[in-house]
Amino acid sequence: VTHTQTQQIRSTVTDGSGFFTLTNLQPGQYDITAELQGFKKAVRESVQLDATGALTVALPLSTT
């Protein structure tokens, strides 16, 4: 994920089922990217995260 205002980047790796968690993110807008070799990159732009919120974001990957 990239915080769009500060350009701070945070990365993580999914578990075997594709689930991921990022904690302690600052409130604001984020661009979220998922990549895996053999698949097209999935991007979700301008996702708003509020200070008290938690989000679930689906990023389906399709084959190239």
PDB file of all heavy atoms in Angstrom, residues 28-56:
ATOM      1  N   GLY A  28      -5.973   8.233   5.949  1.00  0.00           N
ATOM      2  CA  GLY A  28      -5.737   8.917   4.687  1.00  0.00           C
ATOM      3  C   GLY A  28      -6.112   8.048   3.511  1.00  0.00           C
ATOM      4  O   GLY A  28      -6.731   6.996   3.666  1.00  0.00           O
ATOM      5  N   GLN A  29      -5.718   8.487   2.323  1.00  0.00           N
ATOM      6  CA  GLN A  29      -5.991   7.732   1.106  1.00  0.00           C
ATOM      7  C   GLN A  29      -4.789   6.872   0.742  1.00  0.00           C
ATOM      8  O   GLN A  29      -3.642   7.315   0.862  1.00  0.00           O
ATOM      9  CB  GLN A  29      -6.300   8.666  -0.056  1.00  0.00           C
ATOM     10  CG  GLN A  29      -7.700   9.170  -0.038  1.00  0.00           C
ATOM     11  CD  GLN A  29      -8.085   9.798  -1.375  1.00  0.00           C
ATOM     12  OE1 GLN A  29      -7.252  10.022  -2.241  1.00  0.00           O
ATOM     13  NE2 GLN A  29      -9.355  10.072  -1.530  1.00  0.00           N
ATOM     14  N   TYR A  30      -5.093   5.664   0.266  1.00  0.00           N
ATOM     15  CA  TYR A  30      -4.063   4.702  -0.106  1.00  0.00           C
ATOM     16  C   TYR A  30      -4.334   4.134  -1.488  1.00  0.00           C
ATOM     17  O   TYR A  30      -5.490   3.951  -1.880  1.00  0.00           O
ATOM     18  CB  TYR A  30      -4.027   3.536   0.897  1.00  0.00           C
ATOM     19  CG  TYR A  30      -3.442   3.906   2.224  1.00  0.00           C
ATOM     20  CD1 TYR A  30      -4.223   4.487   3.208  1.00  0.00           C
ATOM     21  CD2 TYR A  30      -2.094   3.696   2.486  1.00  0.00           C
ATOM     22  CE1 TYR A  30      -3.675   4.844   4.437  1.00  0.00           C
ATOM     23  CE2 TYR A  30      -1.537   4.048   3.701  1.00  0.00           C
ATOM     24  CZ  TYR A  30      -2.337   4.619   4.667  1.00  0.00           C
ATOM     25  OH  TYR A  30      -1.783   4.973   5.877  1.00  0.00           O
ATOM     26  N   ASP A  31      -3.262   3.858  -2.209  1.00  0.00           N
ATOM     27  CA  ASP A  31      -3.320   3.042  -3.415  1.00  0.00           C
ATOM     28  C   ASP A  31      -2.824   1.659  -3.008  1.00  0.00           C
ATOM     29  O   ASP A  31      -1.772   1.530  -2.364  1.00  0.00           O
ATOM     30  CB  ASP A  31      -2.426   3.607  -4.514  1.00  0.00           C
ATOM     31  CG  ASP A  31      -2.925   4.946  -5.048  1.00  0.00           C
ATOM     32  OD1 ASP A  31      -4.124   5.249  -4.889  1.00  0.00           O
ATOM     33  OD2 ASP A  31      -2.112   5.679  -5.634  1.00  0.00           O
ATOM     34  N   ILE A  32      -3.582   0.624  -3.352  1.00  0.00           N
ATOM     35  CA  ILE A  32      -3.255  -0.743  -2.953  1.00  0.00           C
ATOM     36  C   ILE A  32      -2.941  -1.549  -4.204  1.00  0.00           C
ATOM     37  O   ILE A  32      -3.695  -1.534  -5.168  1.00  0.00           O
ATOM     38  CB  ILE A  32      -4.429  -1.383  -2.182  1.00  0.00           C
ATOM     39  CG1 ILE A  32      -4.807  -0.503  -0.993  1.00  0.00           C
ATOM     40  CG2 ILE A  32      -4.079  -2.796  -1.739  1.00  0.00           C
ATOM     41  CD1 ILE A  32      -6.089  -0.923  -0.314  1.00  0.00           C
ATOM     42  N   THR A  33      -1.807  -2.265  -4.174  1.00  0.00           N
ATOM     43  CA  THR A  33      -1.362  -3.053  -5.319  1.00  0.00           C
ATOM     44  C   THR A  33      -1.060  -4.473  -4.862  1.00  0.00           C
ATOM     45  O   THR A  33      -0.441  -4.665  -3.817  1.00  0.00           O
ATOM     46  CB  THR A  33      -0.084  -2.442  -5.925  1.00  0.00           C
ATOM     47  OG1 THR A  33      -0.335  -1.080  -6.260  1.00  0.00           O
ATOM     48  CG2 THR A  33       0.353  -3.194  -7.165  1.00  0.00           C
ATOM     49  N   ALA A  34      -1.499  -5.451  -5.666  1.00  0.00           N
ATOM     50  CA  ALA A  34      -1.180  -6.853  -5.397  1.00  0.00           C
ATOM     51  C   ALA A  34      -0.517  -7.428  -6.644  1.00  0.00           C
ATOM     52  O   ALA A  34      -0.991  -7.203  -7.764  1.00  0.00           O
ATOM     53  CB  ALA A  34      -2.436  -7.640  -5.053  1.00  0.00           C
ATOM     54  N   GLU A  35       0.581  -8.168  -6.437  1.00  0.00           N
ATOM     55  CA  GLU A  35       1.318  -8.746  -7.561  1.00  0.00           C
ATOM     56  C   GLU A  35       1.748 -10.166  -7.230  1.00  0.00           C
ATOM     57  O   GLU A  35       2.085 -10.461  -6.090  1.00  0.00           O
ATOM     58  CB  GLU A  35       2.590  -7.959  -7.858  1.00  0.00           C
ATOM     59  CG  GLU A  35       2.419  -6.508  -8.096  1.00  0.00           C
ATOM     60  CD  GLU A  35       3.744  -5.833  -8.400  1.00  0.00           C
ATOM     61  OE1 GLU A  35       4.189  -5.944  -9.555  1.00  0.00           O
ATOM     62  OE2 GLU A  35       4.315  -5.230  -7.482  1.00  0.00           O
ATOM     63  N   LEU A  36       1.747 -10.999  -8.254  1.00  0.00           N
ATOM     64  CA  LEU A  36       2.268 -12.352  -8.138  1.00  0.00           C
ATOM     65  C   LEU A  36       2.690 -12.793  -9.534  1.00  0.00           C
ATOM     66  O   LEU A  36       1.965 -12.558 -10.514  1.00  0.00           O
ATOM     67  CB  LEU A  36       1.206 -13.315  -7.589  1.00  0.00           C
ATOM     68  CG  LEU A  36       1.635 -14.762  -7.401  1.00  0.00           C
ATOM     69  CD1 LEU A  36       2.755 -14.883  -6.366  1.00  0.00           C
ATOM     70  CD2 LEU A  36       0.441 -15.614  -6.989  1.00  0.00           C
ATOM     71  N   GLN A  37       3.865 -13.381  -9.630  1.00  0.00           N
ATOM     72  CA  GLN A  37       4.366 -13.824 -10.924  1.00  0.00           C
ATOM     73  C   GLN A  37       3.347 -14.725 -11.602  1.00  0.00           C
ATOM     74  O   GLN A  37       2.762 -15.612 -10.984  1.00  0.00           O
ATOM     75  CB  GLN A  37       5.683 -14.575 -10.748  1.00  0.00           C
ATOM     76  CG  GLN A  37       6.350 -14.919 -12.051  1.00  0.00           C
ATOM     77  CD  GLN A  37       7.718 -15.541 -11.846  1.00  0.00           C
ATOM     78  OE1 GLN A  37       8.254 -15.581 -10.757  1.00  0.00           O
ATOM     79  NE2 GLN A  37       8.274 -16.055 -12.919  1.00  0.00           N
ATOM     80  N   GLY A  38       3.100 -14.480 -12.899  1.00  0.00           N
ATOM     81  CA  GLY A  38       2.144 -15.272 -13.666  1.00  0.00           C
ATOM     82  C   GLY A  38       0.742 -14.690 -13.662  1.00  0.00           C
ATOM     83  O   GLY A  38      -0.166 -15.244 -14.283  1.00  0.00           O
ATOM     84  N   PHE A  39       0.525 -13.571 -12.956  1.00  0.00           N
ATOM     85  CA  PHE A  39      -0.780 -12.924 -12.877  1.00  0.00           C
ATOM     86  C   PHE A  39      -0.647 -11.455 -13.240  1.00  0.00           C
ATOM     87  O   PHE A  39       0.423 -10.860 -13.105  1.00  0.00           O
ATOM     88  CB  PHE A  39      -1.356 -13.021 -11.459  1.00  0.00           C
ATOM     89  CG  PHE A  39      -1.724 -14.415 -11.055  1.00  0.00           C
ATOM     90  CD1 PHE A  39      -0.784 -15.258 -10.495  1.00  0.00           C
ATOM     91  CD2 PHE A  39      -3.011 -14.883 -11.240  1.00  0.00           C
ATOM     92  CE1 PHE A  39      -1.112 -16.542 -10.116  1.00  0.00           C
ATOM     93  CE2 PHE A  39      -3.351 -16.171 -10.872  1.00  0.00           C
ATOM     94  CZ  PHE A  39      -2.402 -17.009 -10.306  1.00  0.00           C
ATOM     95  N   LYS A  40      -1.754 -10.854 -13.671  1.00  0.00           N
ATOM     96  CA  LYS A  40      -1.779  -9.416 -13.914  1.00  0.00           C
ATOM     97  C   LYS A  40      -1.810  -8.699 -12.575  1.00  0.00           C
ATOM     98  O   LYS A  40      -2.440  -9.158 -11.620  1.00  0.00           O
ATOM     99  CB  LYS A  40      -3.020  -9.034 -14.714  1.00  0.00           C
ATOM    100  CG  LYS A  40      -3.024  -9.551 -16.123  1.00  0.00           C
ATOM    101  CD  LYS A  40      -4.277  -9.118 -16.845  1.00  0.00           C
ATOM    102  CE  LYS A  40      -4.339  -9.724 -18.229  1.00  0.00           C
ATOM    103  NZ  LYS A  40      -5.593  -9.386 -18.913  1.00  0.00           N
ATOM    104  N   LYS A  41      -1.119  -7.571 -12.508  1.00  0.00           N
ATOM    105  CA  LYS A  41      -1.107  -6.763 -11.291  1.00  0.00           C
ATOM    106  C   LYS A  41      -2.516  -6.202 -11.047  1.00  0.00           C
ATOM    107  O   LYS A  41      -3.174  -5.737 -11.975  1.00  0.00           O
ATOM    108  CB  LYS A  41      -0.115  -5.614 -11.441  1.00  0.00           C
ATOM    109  CG  LYS A  41       0.016  -4.772 -10.206  1.00  0.00           C
ATOM    110  CD  LYS A  41       0.846  -3.512 -10.323  1.00  0.00           C
ATOM    111  CE  LYS A  41       1.964  -3.502 -11.297  1.00  0.00           C
ATOM    112  NZ  LYS A  41       2.768  -2.272 -11.234  1.00  0.00           N
ATOM    113  N   ALA A  42      -2.975  -6.252  -9.797  1.00  0.00           N
ATOM    114  CA  ALA A  42      -4.263  -5.675  -9.410  1.00  0.00           C
ATOM    115  C   ALA A  42      -4.000  -4.394  -8.628  1.00  0.00           C
ATOM    116  O   ALA A  42      -3.146  -4.372  -7.740  1.00  0.00           O
ATOM    117  CB  ALA A  42      -5.058  -6.658  -8.555  1.00  0.00           C
ATOM    118  N   VAL A  43      -4.723  -3.332  -8.971  1.00  0.00           N
ATOM    119  CA  VAL A  43      -4.539  -2.042  -8.311  1.00  0.00           C
ATOM    120  C   VAL A  43      -5.894  -1.497  -7.887  1.00  0.00           C
ATOM    121  O   VAL A  43      -6.862  -1.544  -8.645  1.00  0.00           O
ATOM    122  CB  VAL A  43      -3.854  -1.023  -9.252  1.00  0.00           C
ATOM    123  CG1 VAL A  43      -3.706   0.326  -8.578  1.00  0.00           C
ATOM    124  CG2 VAL A  43      -2.506  -1.543  -9.726  1.00  0.00           C
ATOM    125  N   ARG A  44      -5.965  -0.995  -6.677  1.00  0.00           N
ATOM    126  CA  ARG A  44      -7.150  -0.295  -6.168  1.00  0.00           C
ATOM    127  C   ARG A  44      -6.667   1.068  -5.715  1.00  0.00           C
ATOM    128  O   ARG A  44      -5.841   1.156  -4.813  1.00  0.00           O
ATOM    129  CB  ARG A  44      -7.750  -1.092  -5.024  1.00  0.00           C
ATOM    130  CG  ARG A  44      -9.117  -0.643  -4.538  1.00  0.00           C
ATOM    131  CD  ARG A  44     -10.112  -0.817  -5.595  1.00  0.00           C
ATOM    132  NE  ARG A  44     -11.272  -1.627  -5.502  1.00  0.00           N
ATOM    133  CZ  ARG A  44     -11.679  -2.519  -4.654  1.00  0.00           C
ATOM    134  NH1 ARG A  44     -10.980  -2.880  -3.657  1.00  0.00           N
ATOM    135  NH2 ARG A  44     -12.815  -3.108  -4.787  1.00  0.00           N
ATOM    136  N   GLU A  45      -7.129   2.148  -6.358  1.00  0.00           N
ATOM    137  CA  GLU A  45      -6.645   3.491  -6.069  1.00  0.00           C
ATOM    138  C   GLU A  45      -7.612   4.260  -5.163  1.00  0.00           C
ATOM    139  O   GLU A  45      -8.818   4.003  -5.165  1.00  0.00           O
ATOM    140  CB  GLU A  45      -6.437   4.268  -7.363  1.00  0.00           C
ATOM    141  CG  GLU A  45      -5.345   3.678  -8.228  1.00  0.00           C
ATOM    142  CD  GLU A  45      -5.147   4.439  -9.521  1.00  0.00           C
ATOM    143  OE1 GLU A  45      -6.124   5.037 -10.028  1.00  0.00           O
ATOM    144  OE2 GLU A  45      -4.013   4.440 -10.015  1.00  0.00           O
ATOM    145  N   SER A  46      -7.043   5.200  -4.423  1.00  0.00           N
ATOM    146  CA  SER A  46      -7.800   6.170  -3.612  1.00  0.00           C
ATOM    147  C   SER A  46      -8.740   5.498  -2.608  1.00  0.00           C
ATOM    148  O   SER A  46      -9.890   5.888  -2.454  1.00  0.00           O
ATOM    149  CB  SER A  46      -8.592   7.122  -4.512  1.00  0.00           C
ATOM    150  OG  SER A  46      -7.719   7.814  -5.371  1.00  0.00           O
ATOM    151  N   VAL A  47      -8.229   4.502  -1.905  1.00  0.00           N
ATOM    152  CA  VAL A  47      -8.998   3.840  -0.849  1.00  0.00           C
ATOM    153  C   VAL A  47      -8.848   4.678   0.421  1.00  0.00           C
ATOM    154  O   VAL A  47      -7.731   4.922   0.878  1.00  0.00           O
ATOM    155  CB  VAL A  47      -8.493   2.402  -0.613  1.00  0.00           C
ATOM    156  CG1 VAL A  47      -9.218   1.756   0.551  1.00  0.00           C
ATOM    157  CG2 VAL A  47      -8.641   1.584  -1.885  1.00  0.00           C
ATOM    158  N   GLN A  48      -9.955   5.132   0.974  1.00  0.00           N
ATOM    159  CA  GLN A  48      -9.937   6.002   2.145  1.00  0.00           C
ATOM    160  C   GLN A  48      -9.934   5.161   3.422  1.00  0.00           C
ATOM    161  O   GLN A  48     -10.793   4.302   3.602  1.00  0.00           O
ATOM    162  CB  GLN A  48     -11.154   6.939   2.140  1.00  0.00           C
ATOM    163  CG  GLN A  48     -11.190   7.902   3.302  1.00  0.00           C
ATOM    164  CD  GLN A  48     -10.061   8.929   3.264  1.00  0.00           C
ATOM    165  OE1 GLN A  48      -9.697   9.429   2.207  1.00  0.00           O
ATOM    166  NE2 GLN A  48      -9.503   9.227   4.422  1.00  0.00           N
ATOM    167  N   LEU A  49      -8.962   5.422   4.288  1.00  0.00           N
ATOM    168  CA  LEU A  49      -8.885   4.763   5.591  1.00  0.00           C
ATOM    169  C   LEU A  49      -9.084   5.810   6.670  1.00  0.00           C
ATOM    170  O   LEU A  49      -8.339   6.791   6.734  1.00  0.00           O
ATOM    171  CB  LEU A  49      -7.524   4.079   5.769  1.00  0.00           C
ATOM    172  CG  LEU A  49      -7.291   3.402   7.121  1.00  0.00           C
ATOM    173  CD1 LEU A  49      -8.279   2.263   7.333  1.00  0.00           C
ATOM    174  CD2 LEU A  49      -5.858   2.903   7.213  1.00  0.00           C
ATOM    175  N   ASP A  50     -10.106   5.626   7.493  1.00  0.00           N
ATOM    176  CA  ASP A  50     -10.377   6.542   8.597  1.00  0.00           C
ATOM    177  C   ASP A  50      -9.639   6.079   9.850  1.00  0.00           C
ATOM    178  O   ASP A  50      -9.272   4.912   9.975  1.00  0.00           O
ATOM    179  CB  ASP A  50     -11.880   6.611   8.879  1.00  0.00           C
ATOM    180  CG  ASP A  50     -12.651   7.175   7.690  1.00  0.00           C
ATOM    181  OD1 ASP A  50     -12.134   8.087   7.020  1.00  0.00           O
ATOM    182  OD2 ASP A  50     -13.764   6.690   7.438  1.00  0.00           O
ATOM    183  N   ALA A  51      -9.466   7.001  10.797  1.00  0.00           N
ATOM    184  CA  ALA A  51      -8.692   6.721  12.010  1.00  0.00           C
ATOM    185  C   ALA A  51      -9.263   5.555  12.810  1.00  0.00           C
ATOM    186  O   ALA A  51      -8.517   4.785  13.398  1.00  0.00           O
ATOM    187  CB  ALA A  51      -8.617   7.964  12.882  1.00  0.00           C
ATOM    188  N   THR A  52     -10.564   5.405  12.856  1.00  0.00           N
ATOM    189  CA  THR A  52     -11.175   4.352  13.669  1.00  0.00           C
ATOM    190  C   THR A  52     -11.642   3.169  12.833  1.00  0.00           C
ATOM    191  O   THR A  52     -12.294   2.276  13.349  1.00  0.00           O
ATOM    192  CB  THR A  52     -12.379   4.907  14.448  1.00  0.00           C
ATOM    193  OG1 THR A  52     -13.330   5.426  13.513  1.00  0.00           O
ATOM    194  CG2 THR A  52     -11.949   5.994  15.406  1.00  0.00           C
ATOM    195  N   GLY A  53     -11.301   3.165  11.553  1.00  0.00           N
ATOM    196  CA  GLY A  53     -11.840   2.153  10.655  1.00  0.00           C
ATOM    197  C   GLY A  53     -10.941   0.969  10.414  1.00  0.00           C
ATOM    198  O   GLY A  53      -9.746   0.984  10.671  1.00  0.00           O
ATOM    199  N   ALA A  54     -11.562  -0.070   9.923  1.00  0.00           N
ATOM    200  CA  ALA A  54     -10.882  -1.254   9.406  1.00  0.00           C
ATOM    201  C   ALA A  54     -11.537  -1.556   8.067  1.00  0.00           C
ATOM    202  O   ALA A  54     -12.753  -1.406   7.924  1.00  0.00           O
ATOM    203  CB  ALA A  54     -11.028  -2.428  10.356  1.00  0.00           C
ATOM    204  N   LEU A  55     -10.751  -1.942   7.091  1.00  0.00           N
ATOM    205  CA  LEU A  55     -11.278  -2.197   5.752  1.00  0.00           C
ATOM    206  C   LEU A  55     -10.989  -3.610   5.301  1.00  0.00           C
ATOM    207  O   LEU A  55      -9.954  -4.177   5.649  1.00  0.00           O
ATOM    208  CB  LEU A  55     -10.626  -1.258   4.738  1.00  0.00           C
ATOM    209  CG  LEU A  55     -10.867   0.225   4.885  1.00  0.00           C
ATOM    210  CD1 LEU A  55     -10.018   0.993   3.870  1.00  0.00           C
ATOM    211  CD2 LEU A  55     -12.319   0.554   4.674  1.00  0.00           C
ATOM    212  N   THR A  56     -11.879  -4.131   4.502  1.00  0.00           N
ATOM    213  CA  THR A  56     -11.631  -5.362   3.779  1.00  0.00           C
ATOM    214  C   THR A  56     -11.625  -5.000   2.301  1.00  0.00           C
ATOM    215  O   THR A  56     -12.579  -4.414   1.797  1.00  0.00           O
ATOM    216  CB  THR A  56     -12.749  -6.396   4.043  1.00  0.00           C
ATOM    217  OG1 THR A  56     -12.770  -6.685   5.439  1.00  0.00           O
ATOM    218  CG2 THR A  56     -12.514  -7.675   3.255  1.00  0.00           C
TER     219      THR A  56
END
